[in-house]
Each structure stands twice: as C-alpha cells, then as structure tokens.
Amino acid sequence: MAKIHPSSSSSLCSPLISSKREVFTIWMKSLVLNGYGCTVYDSQGLVVYRMDNYDCKSSHEVFFMDTAGNTLFKILKKKLGVFGQWRGYRSGDGLKEEEEEKKPWFTARKAFRVLKRSGGSWGITAMVGSGRDDHACFKIDASNDNKGYKIRNFAGELLAEVKRKETASGVVLGEDVLNLIIEPNSDQLLIMGLVVVCGLTSHSM
C-alpha cells in the first residue's frame, strides 16, 4: 500500500501512488467540535487525512491535513466568471506564499448539464499544471440525486469513484458516509483534492 503518512516536506510534494486499488471511507464531518470538513479513514479503519473548515460550509479557503496536523494542500476559491474557480496549492514545495499562489497545483471549474432522464447533473473539469495533455486533465461527473460521482482523465480512463458506503450485509449508510475507491497507479493526493472540491461545490463540507 502506498505511504499515506508523509513525514517530511519532500514527501509532501510527491504523489502518493499505489499499485493496488485502494478503498477509503470519507465521513463528511470534522473532528473539530462545531467545525466543518471531512475525515478520511483507510481500509483498516484508521484516520489518515482530515479537512477542517473552521468558518462555514463551502469556505473560500480550506486546508487538507494528515493525522499529525501537517497541511498537505490548501484550496482557494477565486471569483472568476459566474461559478468561480477552485485552485489547489501543495505544501512543502519551498515556495513563498505569494509565489505559491501564482503557480497552482491544479485548477477546477464547475459545469452544469441537462440530462433528459435524470433531469440534470453537474460536473467539474480540472487541470493539473498547464493541463496541455490528457494525463493532466480530468473530468468529474455527478448526478443531482447525490448517489456519487466518478473521476476520469480526458482519455476516459476511470481513476476513482465516490459512492454511498454500504455495510457487508448491503445496508446503505447515511449520506455523510462515503466510499472512495481509487484505481491503481493514480495520484491519491490529487484525487483527494478533487474530492474536496466536489464537497465544497456541492456544499456538503
């Protein structure tokens, strides 16, 4: 399994990639009393990541951390156009804050689409760095029924899927408990960033 507890600034900059499919549980609750955010558990039930939003839901600035409280990345919302743009910035890259914000790790925008059968859906397009090739561009598709969404690259390859968590007996848990399934050889930290953007966009964290 890929390392999920970075211990140095250099590891914070490196993608967390596993050769196996990984399954995480996302609880859309903060561990901080009266806070907002989410808590991420691995397949063994251990807390591996957390996002705390001390202000309000869908804040314009949030921080994603490991269990020790080290910030792995932050996400800022910028007012550009009707829906704005989310920008992710990795920590530990040695950049000063003003320089960091000039070079986002990824950018993401929300887009709406109308479907004949389901009545509607929403999606997100994201680009890493310059976004000039398929491996740096991503699409997130979700329906309005909040049953989950899938993350793909622009070549159509499935990278991750988020859906309601079920017990071994098939009982579907509450809307605030989700399964995150990440396919092999995917950048887990980037996927986590896109999942956070989805939560902020849908006002669920």
Side-chain angles (χ1 to χ4, degrees):
M1 181 174 178
K3 182 179 179 182
I4 51 180
H5 292 286
S7 58
S8 68
S9 60
S10 60
S11 64
L12 296 181
C13 298
S14 302
L16 304 177
I17 297 176
S18 172
S19 59
K20 300 179 181 179
R21 175 184 287 185
E22 302 288 352
V23 180
F24 298 89
T25 298
I26 303 177
W27 185 38
M28 305 296 283
K29 298 288 185 181
S30 169
L31 294 178
V32 177
L33 184 64
N34 297 324
Y36 298 96
C38 68
T39 307
V40 183
Y41 301 82
D42 65 11
S43 58
Q44 304 301 314
L46 300 175
V47 175
V48 288
Y49 302 117
R50 61 188 179 93
M51 191 204 85
D52 292 319
N53 179 356
Y54 306 103
D55 185 13
C56 60
K57 284 188 176 182
S58 301
S59 173
H60 287 197
E61 182 179 44
V62 298
F63 297 88
F64 193 82
M65 297 168 280
D66 62 15
T67 54
N70 299 309
T71 298
L72 303 179
F73 60 81
K74 69 177 179 180
I75 295 179
L76 304 177
K77 185 177 183 180
K78 298 294 184 179
K79 283 290 186 179
L80 298 171
V82 178
F83 301 113
Q85 181 187 79
W86 295 99
R87 296 179 181 178
Y89 299 91
R90 287 185 297 191
S91 299
D93 56 8
L95 293 176
K96 296 180 180 179
E97 184 173 354
E98 62 271 18
E99 295 173 332
E100 182 180 89
E101 296 192 11
K102 293 179 182 178
K103 301 178 180 179
W105 172 29
F106 70 82
T107 58
R109 292 177 179 272
K110 184 175 182 179
F112 285 91
R113 293 178 296 279
V114 177
L115 301 178
K116 293 182 180 179
R117 292 185 179 180
S118 66
S121 70
W122 59 271
I124 292 174
T125 58
M127 294 184 293
V128 176
S130 62
R132 294 178 180 176
D133 58 75
D134 287 346
H135 295 290
C137 302
F138 303 88
K139 296 186 295 184
I140 305 171
D141 295 305
S143 60
N144 286 338
D145 55 18
N146 293 321
K147 289 185 178 180
Y149 50 89
K150 296 180 179 181
I151 301 175
R152 304 177 185 273
N153 61 23
F154 266 63
E157 299 170 327
L158 180 65
L159 302 180
E161 181 176 6
V162 175
K163 56 186 178 181
R164 295 272 294 279
K165 187 176 180 65
E166 296 183 13
T167 65
S169 59
V171 177
V172 180
L173 301 181
E175 293 184 359
D176 60 349
V177 185
L178 307 173
N179 252 5
L180 168 60
I181 305 168
I182 302 181
E183 297 298 321
N185 303 314
S186 299
D187 184 342
Q188 294 182 9
L189 200 57
L190 174 61
I191 296 297
M192 294 291 176
L194 299 180
V195 169
V196 170
V197 169
C198 286
L200 294 171
T201 301
S202 61
H203 305 284
S204 58
M205 66 172 68

